Amino acid sequence: MAGQAGRATQAVRIRASQQQRAAGALSSPLCCLPPSRSGYVNTTRRTIAAASLVQTQPSQSTRWRPISVLDDWVAKEARPISLRQLMVFGRSLTEARLISSANYVRTELPTRLAHRIRDIQQLPYAVVSNPHISAVYELYYNAFDMFRKVKEIKTLDDNDVLCDVIGQTLQAHLPVIPKLAMGILECSDLMPAKDLDKFMNTILRARISRRVIAEQHLALTETFNASWYSPGAPLPEGHEFIGEVFLKCQARDVIDRCAKAVCELARSAYGPEVQLPDIQLTGHLDTTFPYILSHLEYIVGELLRNAVQATVERHQRMYESHGSNYVGIPPPPPPIEITLCEAAQHVIIRVSDQGGGVPHDMMPYLWSFSKGKHSQRLLENLKKVPRMSATLQELRVDEAQNPPSRNSSTHPLDKPPNVTGDPDHPHGNSLASLSQRPPNLRLGMGLPLSRVYAEYWAGSLELHSLEGYGVDAFLQISKLGNKNEQLTMRASMDAV
């Protein structure tokens, strides 16, 4: 009898231990804020100030966390914004407006994080316990727990400390995108692909949204503290940015810069003598619109990179198979045609190539983060990318690990920004690292992530492939900047 009681007691302890481990695993998967120019250097004074601004956290290091703490935050609605609101708010920046922006960020970040954490908690246990998903969840919960404890911002010193906290969080979350991608690929047989894609689209769009509001506030703070800026005064003549918003984004200039970077990439990958397709730009070339430059650079960069790579490789295959028929220098590859079209509400960018189109076996996975039989190859490539910012810098690991400091020459805060193509301009330096990304390092995320970026500001990205001939890609952008960011407003489990 005593032996039976002992065994029963031991069974109860085992079950309790299993439940505790399960609870710990459930509280370890989701969300991230992308990297930004987090040039805020911590000093002893700011470290002390941060300790007073953020309430004391428990010293226990257990992985288990009660999910009830999320309930109040999940019950709150995110407050979406538009590009126009960002522009109007930052046009005449004062101390009161900067502090108002700080408090918006202070409350909005934990709200948006809470919704996505709750979504992760609703994933099947086998998915949640994946080490990559679990690591992301841990990063998300730590960020949520930190931001929810930040006290109201009342002074500029408080705001400086908040900016340090934001910058540290953005840097800490650099591993999130590759970890999410690896987790989804490893779990592709545990959930339907459409559910995994819905989860990834929701998570990545939320990540973009947090990056936008966090980096916008950091940029406004930099502007306010710059020696050339007079609080409350109109923007200096020639100033083309309000925070991160480029007031007159000219698609032609973005395409020219991306084309140059992509061609340099191709030469470094295929050799300096490689024949590259001519990139021809036609249409409404003087079109301008407000936009976040890094978003447009990422989308256009991916479309051009795919087009140039497909065209070059197809041309090389054709030359190798018919090389004996050529006399002298073989003909150049067919051009890539880019057309800009301006309408009353939208700008449309069409990228047309003759690179042979999308292979038939890849079509089902074109917009999916799950890649079926191609998953293992992509997993090996993703392991080479420990950090990713989802700008054109995504593979510049050395720059991600050692970002330029706030006082470095790449952040000229003592003069108003002017030319967007200036390589020393903080809004334009993401192009500098595109050449670091080798063409054979395919990640399977370029098109799906580009579509997430396009749809974030109520735009769209479509692709039409003619196998054996080429691809037409259509990027539609809202021209007026009056569309709110497209968010999943609540945790999907609460939206039903």
Side-chain angles (χ1 to χ4, degrees):
M1 193 74 167
Q4 292 178 350
R7 286 192 295 273
T9 302
Q10 184 179 12
V12 169
R13 289 174 178 172
I14 292 173
R15 283 197 298 271
S17 176
Q18 290 173 339
Q19 290 172 356
Q20 186 175 15
R21 287 198 299 271
L26 268 177
S27 67
S28 73
L30 182 59
C31 215
C32 130
L33 282 160
S36 91
R37 38 187 197 168
S38 54
Y40 291 85
V41 181
N42 287 330
T43 62
T44 303
R45 180 183 63 82
R46 286 192 177 180
T47 302
I48 296 173
S52 64
L53 185 66
V54 182
Q55 297 173 5
T56 304
Q57 300 186 33
S59 59
Q60 59 188 16
S61 59
T62 176
R63 289 169 59 87
W64 181 86
R65 298 186 179 100
I67 63 174
S68 60
V69 71
L70 292 173
D71 290 345
D72 290 341
W73 291 92
V74 172
K76 299 177 181 180
E77 287 283 6
R79 294 174 288 170
I81 52 177
S82 68
L83 285 169
R84 181 174 291 178
Q85 286 175 304
L86 292 177
M87 290 186 293
V88 170
F89 186 85
R91 194 174 293 275
S92 297
L93 192 59
T94 62
E95 179 177 336
R97 284 194 168 194
L98 187 63
I99 290 177
S100 175
S101 172
N103 282 304
Y104 170 77
V105 173
R106 175 184 65 88
T107 57
E108 198 69 10
L109 289 180
T111 299
R112 298 186 185 196
L113 280 165
H115 293 169
R116 305 289 72 85
I117 291 170
R118 181 57 56 84
D119 280 340
I120 294 179
Q121 290 175 339
Q122 299 304 309
L123 292 171
Y125 175 75
V127 177
V128 172
S129 58
N130 176 275
H132 303 299
I133 302 295
S134 178
V136 173
Y137 180 89
E138 200 72 17
L139 285 170
Y140 275 20
Y141 200 103
N142 287 340
F144 162 75
D145 202 40
M146 178 172 58
F147 280 116
R148 74 182 180 88
K149 296 176 180 178
V150 175
K151 300 176 183 178
E152 181 182 1
I153 307 301
K154 298 181 179 179
T155 67
L156 292 178
D157 285 342
D158 288 347
N159 178 64
D160 285 344
V161 175
L162 174 66
C163 288
D164 283 333
V165 174
I166 292 173
Q168 294 165 16
T169 304
L170 298 181
Q171 184 70 11
H173 284 205
L174 281 170
V176 166
I177 290 184
K179 283 188 177 296
L180 277 174
M182 288 189 286
I184 291 301
L185 289 174
E186 290 180 352
C187 297
S188 57
D189 59 341
L190 301 177
M191 281 181 68
K194 63 180 181 62
D195 293 337
L196 285 173
D197 286 333
K198 178 183 177 182
F199 170 75
M200 277 292 281
N201 277 281
T202 300
I203 291 301
L204 291 174
R205 192 174 298 181
R207 171 193 176 277
I208 294 171
S209 78
R210 295 192 305 276
R211 175 175 187 157
V212 165
I213 62 176
E215 290 196 336
Q216 179 71 2
H217 182 68
L218 292 181
L220 290 179
T221 299
E222 288 182 352
T223 298
F224 187 84
N225 291 331
S227 61
W228 54 265
Y229 185 72
S230 177
L235 291 173
E237 185 178 354
H239 190 110
E240 298 174 332
F241 285 87
I242 295 180
E244 292 291 316
V245 182
F246 190 15
L247 301 179
K248 294 184 178 180
C249 184
Q250 195 158 26
R252 176 181 61 184
D253 292 341
V254 174
I255 292 168
D256 286 343
R257 293 199 308 277
C258 288
K260 180 180 178 181
V262 166
C263 288
E264 290 175 356
L265 163 67
R267 289 190 183 94
S268 67
Y270 302 113
E273 304 302 322
V274 65
Q275 287 187 296
L276 299 178
D278 185 27
I279 297 178
Q280 301 174 354
L281 184 58
T282 60
H284 301 142
L285 302 184
D286 295 327
T287 300
T288 63
F289 48 89
Y291 215 69
I292 293 185
L293 190 56
S294 62
H295 293 191
L296 186 59
E297 285 179 342
Y298 182 83
I299 302 169
V300 172
E302 285 295 330
L303 295 179
L304 282 179
R305 185 177 185 277
N306 290 342
V308 169
Q309 183 174 342
T311 302
V312 168
E313 292 181 356
R314 183 174 190 239
H315 184 260
Q316 289 181 337
R317 289 193 301 269
M318 293 177 64
Y319 175 67
E320 290 170 0
S321 60
H322 302 93
S324 59
N325 297 329
Y326 293 121
V327 178
I329 300 176
I336 294 171
E337 300 176 354
I338 304 177
T339 307
L340 297 178
C341 178
E342 180 180 13
Q345 301 286 329
H346 302 99
V347 173
I348 298 174
I349 302 174
R350 183 185 68 178
V351 179
S352 301
D353 68 65
Q354 298 178 45
V358 179
H360 180 73
D361 64 334
M362 283 300 299
M363 282 301 295
Y365 311 106
L366 193 63
W367 301 109
S368 176
F369 292 95
S370 301
K371 299 299 181 181
K373 64 181 182 181
H374 306 279
S375 296
Q376 188 58 43
R377 172 173 54 85
L378 298 176
L379 272 172
E380 294 302 318
N381 289 343
L382 280 164
K383 291 175 183 177
K384 303 174 184 177
V385 189
R387 299 181 174 200
M388 184 182 294
S389 65
T391 65
L392 292 181
Q393 305 171 277
E394 72 268 29
L395 299 185
R396 184 68 171 272
V397 178
D398 58 338
E399 185 172 297
Q401 291 173 337
N402 301 289
S405 71
R406 185 182 182 184
N407 297 320
S408 73
S409 60
T410 58
H411 291 249
L413 299 182
D414 290 331
K415 61 177 185 287
N418 41 43
V419 182
T420 59
D422 183 354
D424 290 333
H425 191 284
H427 299 273
N429 60 9
S430 64
L431 280 171
S433 61
L434 185 60
S435 61
Q436 302 297 314
R437 180 179 177 181
N440 62 347
L441 198 63
R442 299 178 184 271
L443 305 179
M445 297 185 64
L447 283 176
L449 189 53
S450 294
R451 176 177 270 185
V452 173
Y453 269 115
E455 293 179 346
Y456 177 71
W457 293 116
S460 64
L461 178 61
E462 300 294 338
L463 187 145
H464 302 282
S465 173
L466 293 175
E467 189 173 10
Y469 182 79
V471 166
D472 280 354
F474 295 86
L475 170 63
Q476 179 176 291
I477 296 169
S478 178
K479 175 186 172 183
L480 304 179
N482 59 348
K483 302 293 185 181
N484 281 347
E485 50 186 344
Q486 303 298 297
L487 300 177
T488 302
M489 297 296 291
R490 298 282 295 278
S492 58
M493 51 106 27
D494 294 323
V496 177

